Amino acid sequence: MATDQEEKTTTIGGYKLNLSPMVVLYGVIILFLGIGVGYLLYRNWKIGEEFENERTTLRTTVQQNQLANDKQQLMFSMKTFGWAVRNSLLQNKPGEINEYFNTLVKDRGVREVLLVDPKGRVTISTNKKNQGVQFAERFPAYLLQQETIYFGDKRPYELSAPITGPNQRLGTLVMFYNPASLLPASPTNP
């Protein structure tokens, strides 16, 4: 009796295998599918790695650009704000300075603004608990030693500007600023 499919008997290592053409075909298909799935998994892993590298580069670039922009804008603001405070000090109008401070601290990011006299005592602050205390007891003393407008890029940003009169230093204007982040928080970049 003849059958449509003939089975071939092959001996491998002393074992007899009955290989029909369908079994061989299914074996080849499974082999190619396994190779295809392996290749797709490898490509997915490589693309994910490339994406993470590009994302890290983009985040770094955005953070550097934000820092440069923040520095430029805040230093310009400190310069003009320092002139206004200087004029009020020369006219002996501490109430006007206090009003400037209270208005400024309402802006997003401004954490605290202080005016420190030449002896290092806080004369006006947006946080009333700090008024009258020695600046160096609660804050970094190097902020008072700056001869030009200073910008510290640790968070919160630290800014200080000397307030000078015609022949003497009238004090130092200090501001602490929390920048808004342009990027959402991520596990690798809080």
Side-chain angles (χ1 to χ4, degrees), residues 135-155:
F135 182 83
E137 291 176 3
R138 295 189 182 175
F139 304 101
Y142 61 84
L143 292 172
L144 300 181
Q145 300 163 354
Q146 306 300 319
E147 296 299 321
T148 60
I149 297 174
Y150 170 78
F151 176 85
D153 62 359
K154 68 179 182 179
R155 294 185 185 235

Side-chain angles (χ1 to χ4, degrees), residues 52-104:
E52 278 305 314
N53 289 339
E54 288 177 17
R55 180 171 52 217
T56 301
T57 302
L58 180 64
R59 280 184 174 279
T60 302
T61 303
V62 167
Q63 289 169 343
Q64 289 171 346
N65 290 343
Q66 180 184 9
L67 177 62
N69 188 47
D70 287 350
K71 180 178 181 178
Q72 178 189 13
Q73 295 296 320
L74 289 169
M75 289 185 73
F76 176 74
S77 298
M78 282 296 281
K79 184 183 291 186
T80 55
F81 189 53
W83 291 339
V85 170
R86 177 186 184 271
N87 287 339
S88 295
L89 281 174
L90 291 174
Q91 295 173 9
N92 197 22
K93 295 183 179 178
E96 192 173 275
I97 297 170
N98 195 35
E99 188 175 322
Y100 291 156
F101 282 18
N102 290 334
T103 302
L104 185 63

Side-chain angles (χ1 to χ4, degrees), residues 8-34:
K8 295 181 182 177
T9 305
T10 306
T11 305
I12 298 178
Y15 296 102
K16 287 186 178 181
L17 296 176
N18 293 331
L19 296 178
S20 70
M22 291 304 286
V23 171
V24 172
L25 179 64
Y26 288 146
V28 169
I29 290 173
I30 290 172
L31 178 66
F32 281 121
L33 284 175

